Amino acid sequence: MESERNSEKMSKQKRERNVLAFTGATALAVIAVNFAITAFKRRHKKKDLQGSIVRVNLSASEILKLADKIVSKSKEVHDAVASVPLDKVTFMNVISPLAELEAQQFPLVQSCVFPKLVRTSDDVRKASAEAEQKIDAHMLSCSNREDVYRVVKAVAAKGEWVSPEAKRYIQSLVRDFERSGLNLTISKREEVQRLRDQIDELSLQYVRNLNDDKTFLLFSEADLSGLPPEFLKSLDKAENGIFKVTLKSHHVAAVLELCKVGRTRRLVAVAYGKRCGGINLSVLESLVELRHKFARLLGYSNYADYALDLRMAKSSSKVFEFLEEISASLTDLASRELLLLKDLKRKEEGELPFGIEDLLYYVRRVEELQFDLDFGAVKQYFPVNLVLSGIFKVFQDLFGLRFEEVLDAVVWHSDVRVFSVFDLSSNDLLGYFYLDIYKREGKYAHTCVVALQNGALSSTGARQIPVALLISQIQKDIVGHPSLLRFSEVVNFFHEFGHVVQQICNRASFARFSGLRVDPDFVEIPAQLLENWCYESFSLKLISGFHQDITTPIKDEICKSLKRRRYAFSALKLKQEILYCIFDQIIHSADNVDIVELFKHLHPKVMLGLPMLEGTNPASCFPRSAIGFESACYSRIWSEVFAADIFACKFRDGLLNQRVGMQFRNNVLAPGGSKEPIEILSDFLGREPSIQAFVDSRAECSL
């Protein structure tokens, strides 16, 4: 909060608070202007944020010193906990010290780690990466401390739970130790570590193989008809002036979506599907085999059961049931979509058969014909300052919050802004968030939210408040040229700001269950839910305005077209995603699977008769099964389904209904990971979640 320095400052704060209470276009215009000029009103004397122990502007040497202190303090606490005699263990002398260490050290760890994402200094980024490696190595050693495991297990065996959340916390500690193999014999534990090392090395090898692939195809300008001149200019050329198209994703996506020549699309799609050929196929087969061995050593029947044990889905049978139900529900709609695409190809290319390589191109062609959308014109309605002020208004009104800028906070760059978040009714400080949204050299290239400090309740009853950071790479305003957002960037902002509020509104007692540290199947549901506000006319007009006159909101016709386009051909696209999810689930839940034959069998079955491209390699087509989302590829669809259910049931008829918004804040966001996600959602909905709203939303917007 701002300190009471002088009457002028207090007067200014009062004016800002009043502005945020206004409604309608006038308020948004005033807020947007305020957003644009506050950068010039920074105070010279900077201060730390009350209640935050995040250190945001450390030098390279300070980062490395802090990392050493973190490791030293952690070792001290773990040694003390391990020294408690087994017949003397209690919650207070074993569990409480570990929980408080976790809460207190997380913001310090983040102080060392997040600079590599945002700082301009090479030395600072290098020190940040070095500190992260040091801290990660220490954390790994802590997870293998049998002496600490023994005393935690002894507390669990006593069954004297302080609260249901404390019970859940102790069980999670035991589970994590046992997932590291500490309940096994020493020889089996060594085997677990050996397998883990092999899996890590093969995963890295898989990525290296793809990254090192230098394959390219040669095409004439006629072969690349339909691709924009700026794309052609970006391509390297062979000696005879022929264009080189690589198999990097940005080249492949452009060709498959924009190239008018069917033969070119097919050649690129086949080559992309053959990347690394038998090399990565062999790597994937070895990875799957090692993962099954690893899981069975830890007491699971297969790797899928090991991976899903930490997720809402819980079992591969539940995932199969979910995917098959979604796929079957979308079959009729997907069949109609495919027929439409086939008809258009027949009109444009004759009787050539429709293949999977034609999907992106003809989806785009139908969208061009069906929707009167010029995204260059749409962009004119989304100046970044207005979008931010509109998002602020929606989130404040919906969730009973008040945002107030902290003008004299310590930051790592002059572009960074800091906001306090207060409860609207009680005026209690709930947390802070940093906005670092403008493009600069050396900064992380994508939009994301980073938890800097997790909420927690100490043993004395004092609450540690959460702190979040939203990073993006938006072009800054230039005089006469305001920074404008593409519509996809607006949706992304709404999504990520959902994560900010998710972090801030959590009220779990343990940092382990706070904010974004929730079930991986659950963490995206709030953000996916809030994307819906970008497709409703009422809320779209709150976050938009023509950049030359921001009191002129986006047109109704544009809003309707954006909403219809959102789910255009969504059934067919989902079928393709479901295909890969089923493939991923099968190879991680069964032994001795012929990966190529499995994919060849599944492809026409799921994709309505469309065959797999001859000679393609599923290990190249879908790398998420190899690294990052092994046995969890379904999770994006899972969260989208439940988000659709919540929106249809609770919010569609009241986009700014604060009563429902507060229920969501208190009953879904506040518990975080302290309760089972399915229990949280069922309590909020008044029933078990359903897929029906998800299926209906696709059918409503069908062409």
Side-chain angles (χ1 to χ4, degrees), residues 57-296:
N57 204 17
L58 297 176
S59 67
S61 61
E62 288 171 334
I63 287 171
L64 295 175
K65 286 177 184 176
L66 180 57
D68 288 337
K69 288 180 181 177
I70 289 168
V71 170
S72 176
K73 178 63 176 177
S74 174
K75 188 175 185 306
E76 176 188 323
V77 172
H78 280 86
D79 288 346
V81 166
S83 69
V84 178
L86 293 180
D87 60 345
K88 303 290 185 183
V89 297
T90 66
F91 180 89
M92 290 306 296
N93 64 17
V94 172
I95 306 302
S96 185
L98 293 174
E100 298 221 356
L101 178 73
E102 195 170 1
Q104 292 163 7
Q105 289 217 312
F106 180 78
L108 300 179
V109 170
Q110 295 300 79
S111 300
C112 294
V113 171
F114 93 91
K116 72 176 186 178
L117 302 175
V118 297
R119 298 289 291 277
T120 55
S121 163
D122 288 340
D123 288 343
V124 168
R125 291 200 303 270
K126 183 180 177 182
S128 177
E130 185 181 333
E132 182 178 32
Q133 288 182 340
K134 182 180 292 186
I135 293 168
D136 282 350
H138 171 71
M139 297 299 184
L140 179 61
S141 70
C142 290
S143 69
N144 287 310
R145 286 197 59 159
E146 187 178 3
D147 51 356
V148 178
Y149 167 63
R150 280 199 305 268
V151 294
V152 171
K153 184 82 169 175
V155 175
K158 292 177 74 172
E160 297 172 358
W161 316 117
V162 176
S163 67
E165 188 176 346
K167 177 181 179 180
R168 187 172 174 84
Y169 179 73
I170 295 169
Q171 290 173 335
S172 76
L173 289 176
V174 172
R175 179 200 65 205
D176 287 354
F177 279 124
E178 294 183 351
R179 284 173 71 88
S180 293
L182 291 191
N183 56 329
L184 304 177
T185 62
I186 291 176
S187 61
K188 286 187 176 180
R189 205 180 305 165
E190 289 172 348
E191 176 69 1
V192 164
Q193 188 57 51
R194 186 182 67 80
L195 288 170
R196 195 194 300 273
D197 291 341
Q198 287 181 291
I199 289 167
D200 289 345
E201 177 52 38
L202 280 173
S203 298
L204 291 174
Q205 183 61 54
Y206 181 95
V207 173
R208 281 196 296 268
N209 290 341
L210 288 179
N211 289 341
D212 293 344
D213 184 75
K214 304 300 184 196
T215 305
F216 61 85
L217 304 177
L218 296 174
F219 295 107
S220 68
E221 187 168 351
D223 292 332
L224 299 175
S225 176
L227 287 153
E230 57 269 24
F231 177 80
L232 296 180
K233 287 178 184 176
S234 73
L235 298 176
D236 292 332
K237 291 184 179 181
E239 291 179 2
N240 56 0
I242 299 296
F243 293 100
K244 291 183 178 181
V245 174
T246 73
L247 298 183
K248 301 304 179 186
S249 58
H250 63 290
H251 279 189
V252 173
V255 171
L256 294 184
E257 187 174 338
L258 300 172
C259 185
K260 294 179 180 180
V261 184
R263 176 179 171 277
T264 302
R265 294 195 302 270
R266 185 172 183 84
L267 286 171
V268 170
V270 169
Y272 186 73
K274 288 181 175 179
R275 287 178 304 158
C276 303
I279 300 173
N280 267 0
L281 184 61
S282 174
V283 171
L284 180 58
E285 289 170 341
S286 297
L287 269 173
V288 171
E289 183 182 351
L290 290 172
R291 284 171 181 158
H292 284 318
K293 287 181 180 178
F294 173 80
R296 285 169 185 145

Side-chain angles (χ1 to χ4, degrees), residues 466-521:
V467 182
L469 161 63
L470 195 160
I471 301 171
S472 192
Q473 280 277 42
I474 298 168
Q475 186 62 50
K476 203 171 181 182
D477 285 356
I478 303 171
V479 177
H481 299 280
S483 177
L484 303 174
L485 296 176
R486 297 190 302 274
F487 180 68
S488 60
E489 292 174 320
V490 174
V491 176
N492 203 12
F493 252 112
F494 232 96
H495 177 104
E496 295 302 333
F497 208 79
H499 285 312
V500 170
V501 171
Q502 183 179 7
Q503 171 74 4
I504 299 296
C505 291
N506 183 274
R507 303 292 287 174
S509 298
F510 294 89
R512 175 171 292 220
F513 301 141
S514 180
L516 306 181
R517 298 189 68 181
V518 296
D519 186 309
D521 284 347

